[in-house]
Amino acid sequence: MLQIKDLVKDYVQKDIETVHALRGVNIDFRKNEFVAILGPSGCGKTTFLNIIGGLDRYTKGDLLIKGKSTKEYKDKDWDTYRNHSIGFVFQSYNLIPHQTILKNVELALTISGIDKKEREERAKHALAKVGLSKMIHKKPNQMSGGQMQRVAIARALVNNPEILLADEPTGALDSVTSVQVMDLLKEVAQDRLVIMVTHNPDLAEKYASRIINMFDGQITGDSNPYKIKKDEFKEVEEESKGKKYSSMKFLTAFKLSFSNLFSKFKRTLLVAIAGSIGIIGVSSVLAVSQGIKNYIASMQDDMLSSYPLQIAEESVDYSSLMTGLQAQEVVQDVVFDKKTEIGLDSMISYLMDKYKDFTSVKTNDINTNLLDYIENAPKEAVAAKKYNYSIDVTNNIFTPFRKERDGATQTMSLNGITQMYIATLKTVAGFSEYAQFVDLFTDFMKQLPDNDDYVIGSGQYKMLAGNYPQKAEDILLVVDSKKQTLTDILLAQLGMYPQNEFLNIAKRAMAENDPESEHYGKTPE
Ligand code: ADP
């Protein structure tokens, strides 16, 4: 199954001496066996397991999977290997706390692109295998540690991987539940390779069919050695030759990110409503209790930075708008003329009608008096001010957009790039219905508030590099707080993502998914 040859892993870090985590490891694994890796902390067990599982890359040597070298493996090959051949179980079960255990197990299948019904069936089957059929609708926090680890094992098995890797799976469990988990792993190892890292020699002795001792990045003992024969994988290769490999991964991932966008959109709406209720709630609390005044002040600060006070030329009372839209009587003033064979939609007249009903639409007279008043407002009353001139500057800012094939560069407005992306997306089946929403989430360029103290000084944002913009032509790049990532569309806007590659993302996803396509499995130009 797996052959490891002269495997070396060095962790090279700036200013720190290189760590030689693995110093030439040689070992072969059988198709079915239960291997326990024992060794003191820091000897390289986890590093070894992560490399076998495709989570980490080796520095030198080779890892052969079914007789094939992985030296030339690209990220995509590692992804496929990890998603289809490997299941992971960790000491901390890594379950999603607010999802049922059924959903937790299903999630592993969502990523490999299996439809909902089959997902649920397979998840239920996997949970039955680990003896948790009766608990599928419980959430992780309603379960014991042993049960949670069984869920994690079910999740690892639901893809039916050939290899299960477990890193200290009983590390957080008492001895009784440890035994249950070990029993389960032993059973799992009947028809696949299980490699487990453990501190516990007694458990290893009792359950594993092979014990490997590691010390200082090398293997120092092997209780049941094995050498893979040369022609062992011939049969497997023949078998898989005729098969077309179906990968939904990229497509599903792409679709998933779109559905994420949607839930984000819904959430933003909800938060906006909850936010306004929150502010009212906070104010009433403030009236009765002075004790928590500071806490509330800082909360209001946070809240108001997301929902600042806005003075618009026209403002709408959203609650009356909602009620207005709920009364959906049919408007009869446009009659469909059968002779013309063209129907006329009454939508515009319907909307006009409704608009008239919005008695709550108010017009503010924004004049120099008002602007002076805002400009001269006392400093302590206003944290930051920002004016919106209703001009979409993205029409006026241009960026060089490189064509990958001929290296030629064309200049496009930032908004033009967004529209081009939307237009491309509209032509791709499966994405067309989402395309228009790209606009909603690519509001990537905004005017900054005038007070850097408020933006940076209040701790809402951390300055990672450079200074707060001072001049009109300066920009500030804001990255995601957790992962410090940028979106692909923003990279394109900045002129750092070649046109062909950027616009072909969706098409590539479709091509990868369609075995008939000439682009199948490779990147179309
Ligand atoms: P074990 O699992 O046996 O406790 P590890 O594989 O976690 O050992 O670690 C082996 C050695 O590699 C240790 O010295 C550890 O500090 C080092 N190491 C592990 N991961 C990293 C990393 N990401 N960067 C630098 N050093 C690392």
Side-chain angles (χ1 to χ4, degrees):
M1 185 71 221
L2 291 178
Q3 282 168 283
I4 284 96
K5 287 189 174 162
D6 302 321
L7 201 77
V8 170
K9 174 70 183 178
D10 295 332
Y11 287 109
V12 184
Q13 287 163 305
K14 231 168 101 186
D15 306 330
I16 304 175
E17 212 177 305
T18 298
V19 179
H20 304 288
L22 297 177
R23 303 163 183 261
V25 172
N26 283 291
I27 191 163
D28 293 3
F29 291 107
R30 294 174 181 85
K31 203 164 170 236
N32 305 332
E33 62 178 338
F34 189 2
V35 184
I37 301 179
L38 281 171
S41 178
C43 72
K45 303 184 295 292
T46 302
T47 304
F48 186 48
L49 205 66
N50 288 346
I51 289 177
I52 293 177
L55 288 177
D56 204 351
R57 305 282 173 266
Y58 48 82
T59 314
K60 262 193 283 182
D62 199 0
L63 161 67
L64 288 90
I65 301 167
K66 290 184 190 162
K68 271 189 156 169
S69 164
T70 55
K71 276 185 187 162
E72 304 293 322
Y73 259 35
K74 307 243 165 26
D75 281 353
K76 206 175 123 187
D77 302 314
W78 285 116
D79 282 348
T80 309
Y81 167 63
R82 219 172 32 237
N83 289 338
H84 294 267
S85 307
I86 302 279
F88 287 100
V89 176
F90 302 93
Q91 177 178 348
S92 51
Y93 328 107
N94 293 345
L95 300 176
I96 301 169
H98 61 270
Q99 300 270 32
T100 63
I101 65 163
L102 183 65
K103 279 268 162 350
N104 263 286
V105 175
E106 262 186 50
L107 201 72
L109 291 171
T110 312
I111 293 162
S112 40
I114 289 161
D115 75 56
K116 193 169 179 327
K117 205 166 149 237
E118 192 185 339
R119 270 197 327 247
E120 198 174 310
E121 261 165 34
R122 280 172 63 172
K124 278 184 180 162
H125 183 71
L127 282 163
K129 244 187 177 170
V130 301
L132 291 174
S133 280
K134 291 211 178 95
M135 306 187 85
I136 58 172
H137 297 299
K138 290 214 158 147
K139 299 212 169 132
N141 62 9
Q142 298 165 308
M143 312 184 91
S144 70
Q147 286 167 336
M148 285 198 271
Q149 194 57 296
R150 272 150 62 194
V151 176
I153 293 172
R155 182 184 55 191
L157 291 180
V158 74
N159 256 330
N160 199 19
E162 291 152 293
I163 303 166
L164 183 83
L165 302 176
D167 196 352
E168 299 269 5
T170 59
L173 301 177
D174 60 51
S175 51
V176 179
T177 33
S178 291
V179 165
Q180 290 171 0
V181 167
M182 293 305 291
D183 271 330
L184 185 59
L185 287 177
K186 190 175 172 183
E187 198 191 315
V188 167
Q190 302 276 318
D191 56 0
R192 71 197 81 215
L193 170 62
V194 175
I195 306 176
M196 171 184 76
V197 159
T198 181
H199 264 122
N200 191 328
D202 295 338
L203 284 183
E205 202 75 52
K206 188 145 178 241
Y207 290 92
S209 59
R210 182 177 182 188
I211 295 175
I212 288 162
N213 291 296
M214 277 186 79
F215 186 74
D216 200 13
Q218 284 179 319
I219 289 178
T220 51
D222 185 348
S223 72
N224 187 5
Y226 174 67
K227 197 94 203 111
I228 283 179
K229 290 173 222 80
K230 257 198 163 164
D231 53 358
E232 195 166 323
F233 299 107
K234 259 202 174 140
E235 215 174 292
V236 183
E237 253 176 45
E238 300 282 301
E239 205 178 278
S240 62
K241 250 183 194 165
K243 275 190 203 161
K244 273 189 176 159
Y245 187 59
S246 85
S247 153
M248 283 272 284
K249 207 182 100 343
F250 189 54
L251 173 69
T252 316
F254 207 69
K255 279 196 173 163
L256 269 179
S257 69
F258 263 105
S259 61
N260 258 342
L261 278 183
F262 277 113
S263 59
K264 194 169 149 196
F265 176 57
K266 274 193 229 142
R267 204 166 56 227
T268 312
L269 262 183
L270 281 180
V271 171
I273 295 165
S276 49
I277 296 168
I279 292 173
I280 299 163
V282 166
S283 327
S284 51
V285 173
L286 194 64
V288 285
S289 161
Q290 288 293 317
I292 50 166
K293 202 173 157 188
N294 283 347
Y295 169 71
I296 287 167
S298 81
M299 220 169 112
Q300 284 194 120
D301 233 25
D302 279 355
M303 206 81 132
L304 286 169
S305 63
S306 310
Y307 312 106
L309 195 64
Q310 294 190 31
I311 304 168
E313 200 169 3
E314 275 194 340
S315 59
V316 181
D317 174 353
Y318 284 101
S319 61
S320 69
L321 187 121
M322 298 284 183
T323 350
L325 284 175
Q326 269 164 12
Q328 293 220 354
E329 77 270 26
V330 183
V331 182
Q332 291 284 356
D333 55 354
V334 183
V335 182
F336 175 56
D337 179 359
K338 286 198 178 103
K339 266 181 267 167
T340 64
E341 293 188 4
I342 294 172
L344 196 60
D345 206 317
S346 63
M347 183 55 90
I348 299 292
S349 89
Y350 170 72
L351 282 178
M352 291 301 286
D353 233 39
K354 281 292 153 221
Y355 192 75
K356 267 187 279 163
D357 283 353
F358 296 150
T359 46
S360 45
V361 177
K362 297 267 188 289
T363 307
N364 289 316
D365 183 13
I366 298 182
N367 54 25
T368 44
N369 282 344
L370 178 67
L371 292 176
D372 280 348
Y373 176 78
I374 294 170
E375 221 23 67
N376 298 321
K379 261 207 149 91
E380 62 276 15
V382 180
K385 295 184 291 281
K386 204 172 108 176
Y387 297 99
N388 182 354
Y389 299 97
S390 295
I391 298 167
D392 185 0
V393 291
T394 61
N395 285 318
N396 305 67
I397 299 176
F398 294 83
T399 196
F401 204 28
R402 190 157 46 86
K403 275 193 184 161
E404 186 144 79
R405 212 180 325 166
D406 54 11
T409 306
Q410 60 174 335
T411 306
M412 266 193 111
S413 77
L414 302 189
N415 188 30
I417 293 173
T418 311
Q419 298 310 325
M420 205 158 105
Y421 186 56
I422 293 172
T424 310
L425 220 50
K426 276 188 178 160
T427 64
V428 183
F431 298 107
S432 47
E433 71 262 42
Y434 304 123
Q436 56 186 316
F437 290 98
V438 169
D439 232 359
L440 272 179
F441 303 106
T442 50
D443 182 15
F444 59 92
M445 195 170 257
K446 287 183 184 154
Q447 193 194 340
L448 275 168
D450 61 349
N451 185 354
D452 61 334
D453 232 24
Y454 187 64
V455 180
I456 308 291
S458 64
Q460 298 190 57
Y461 292 87
K462 202 169 116 203
M463 192 64 108
L464 296 173
N467 301 310
Y468 198 80
Q470 301 296 332
K471 294 189 293 258
E473 63 267 31
D474 288 352
I475 60 168
L476 185 73
L477 195 62
V478 181
V479 293
D480 182 88
S481 65
K482 291 198 192 81
K483 293 172 285 172
Q484 298 191 4
T485 50
L486 298 171
T487 61
D488 51 359
I489 202 162
L490 181 59
L491 275 184
Q493 313 275 19
L494 292 171
M496 293 170 150
Y497 208 161
Q499 180 175 338
N500 305 12
E501 197 175 316
F502 171 60
L503 291 176
N504 273 333
I505 289 182
K507 284 190 174 156
R508 203 170 78 212
M510 297 311 291
E512 267 186 17
N513 191 38
D514 176 12
E516 301 301 317
S517 162
E518 55 174 318
H519 298 315
Y520 176 64
K522 59 183 182 191
T523 310
E525 287 175 0

